[in-house]
Amino acid sequence: MALLLAGTLLAGCSAFNYTGADSPLAQTALQVMEPRPRVALVLSSGGPRGYAHIGVMRVLEEAGIEVDLVVGTSVGSLLGVFWADGRSAAEIDALSQDGGPLTLFDLSPLADRGWIHGQRLQDYVNANLGNRSIEQLRRRVVVGATRREDKTPVFFATGNAGVAVRASSAVPGILSPVGIAGTEYEDGDESLPLAVRAARQAGARFVIAVDVTPRLETAPADTSPAQRERILKRRARIAPEAMQADFVLDAGLPWEASPLPSYFRLARRTGEASARQQLPQLLARLQPLGLAPGRPLSPEGR
């Protein structure tokens, strides 16, 4: 244990900068994908709240809605790459019940850069994906992050999946920023919590966006002005993105959140219940476009 701790601390003693041949390529705008995605699922950031995405994915699976592009930010990218790799929502849920990647902490002594180094998260993702790169996963997937120097949103559609997810999840002050080929990136939540524009740029015909942000009307009376301001700013970043989606699914989560596994289960159940409630409206939107369940993807689709 002492040797493991020493190794962890030494790993965190210098700024991380990934320079491998499979370095994720950051793009500020995506090219239209070929074949064009028919249905895209955009999963927002939100820390433990993001486990509501698992419930949403389960409902989409059961309804037979074919998703051929996943766009995820922060926890949305983390869960999204597992789904894109072909795991079912039930299998992802089982991973989360076993602790899951949000519980993988490797302490860093560089307190000014975040108290979690992030290497364990990166390794966990890559190991569970069989070290497949983003473009090798079964579904197409885009990971959203933030370029640290100017807070510009960027998208990763190729390269090392673990590094991309680590960058997308690098919450300032908590998880150290991630250098890729000399440029540092941090949590996608800092610039674009709900990256609908990435799905649109990729050419998606129909975009389903999942928002796990709490509603201000659910805030307890003793909520601090700073907390309210933080949510207002987040909603201001989300609003223009949500307007570009064809269907926005509100996860319906309560105000309070927690990093405990019991909250992960609550978030998953709440997301699932909300998705089931909103499913008839979603199907009604898909039907006229020929995207309703029972219609297989075109032969050239993925």
Side-chain angles (χ1 to χ4, degrees), residues 2 9 150:
L9 292 176
D150 58 6

PDB file of all heavy atoms in Angstrom, residues 2 9 150:
ATOM      1  N   ALA A   2       1.959   1.230   0.802  1.00  0.00           N
ATOM      2  CA  ALA A   2       2.833   2.392   0.862  1.00  0.00           C
ATOM      3  C   ALA A   2       3.466   2.675  -0.495  1.00  0.00           C
ATOM      4  O   ALA A   2       3.574   3.821  -0.926  1.00  0.00           O
ATOM      5  CB  ALA A   2       3.924   2.174   1.916  1.00  0.00           C
ATOM      6  N   LEU A   9       1.554   9.527  -5.692  1.00  0.00           N
ATOM      7  CA  LEU A   9       2.003  10.891  -5.425  1.00  0.00           C
ATOM      8  C   LEU A   9       3.043  11.329  -6.441  1.00  0.00           C
ATOM      9  O   LEU A   9       3.008  12.461  -6.935  1.00  0.00           O
ATOM     10  CB  LEU A   9       2.570  10.980  -4.008  1.00  0.00           C
ATOM     11  CG  LEU A   9       1.539  10.821  -2.868  1.00  0.00           C
ATOM     12  CD1 LEU A   9       2.236  10.837  -1.518  1.00  0.00           C
ATOM     13  CD2 LEU A   9       0.488  11.920  -2.939  1.00  0.00           C
ATOM     14  N   ASP A 150      -8.468  29.772 -22.988  1.00  0.00           N
ATOM     15  CA  ASP A 150      -9.438  30.780 -23.412  1.00  0.00           C
ATOM     16  C   ASP A 150     -10.891  30.342 -23.242  1.00  0.00           C
ATOM     17  O   ASP A 150     -11.799  31.022 -23.708  1.00  0.00           O
ATOM     18  CB  ASP A 150      -9.198  31.160 -24.884  1.00  0.00           C
ATOM     19  CG  ASP A 150      -9.271  29.968 -25.818  1.00  0.00           C
ATOM     20  OD1 ASP A 150      -9.617  28.862 -25.367  1.00  0.00           O
ATOM     21  OD2 ASP A 150      -8.957  30.147 -27.018  1.00  0.00           O
TER      22      ASP A 150
END
